[in-house]
Amino acid sequence: MTYAFYLDVYGGTLPADAFSEALPAAIRCVGAITGRRAPDPDWDEGLADAWRRAACAAAEAFAEFGEGRVGGFSIGDFSVTNYQEQGTTGAEVAHAAALGELAGSGLDWLH
């Protein structure tokens, strides 16, 4: 998984440091869905790209939401919590984003 793939193929816009910081969680997420923490060298390029795109989607979600609860904002000492759904976490948002990229690939067999 490379930042170049993220920018050039996936079309991502995260800065390199934000992508790198979110990538380990994204790889864990896609690994939990597919049973693989990296594309299999025997896969054709389309299948490997589906895995990589799923990792990119999950990385973007983790970069935006983290792994904890989703919602809210803070300005100085003032904060507001506004959850998308009761109990939604960044990990759940990343999981859904990754599944969206894996649709039709057959790699989402664990779900």
Side-chain angles (χ1 to χ4, degrees):
M1 190 63 231
T2 65
Y3 186 65
F5 179 91
Y6 172 71
L7 287 179
D8 300 335
V9 178
Y10 183 75
T13 58
L14 291 174
D17 59 336
F19 177 76
S20 295
E21 187 176 317
L23 190 57
I27 290 171
R28 286 192 308 274
C29 176
V30 177
I33 295 169
T34 65
R36 300 287 308 196
R37 291 200 175 204
D40 189 307
D42 294 332
W43 290 348
D44 66 43
E45 199 58 31
L47 203 55
D49 280 354
W51 188 99
R52 289 182 193 104
R53 291 181 68 80
C56 291
E60 284 191 339
F62 283 122
E64 182 174 351
F65 299 112
E67 294 186 57
R69 289 187 180 205
V70 172
F73 63 91
S74 297
I75 301 173
D77 291 335
F78 177 76
S79 67
V80 174
T81 303
N82 181 18
Y83 300 113
Q84 283 183 349
E85 295 175 22
Q86 206 61 291
T88 297
T89 65
E92 291 169 336
V93 174
H95 185 93
L99 281 174
E101 291 293 337
L102 293 170
S105 71
L107 290 175
D108 57 345
W109 61 274
L110 292 176
H111 295 271

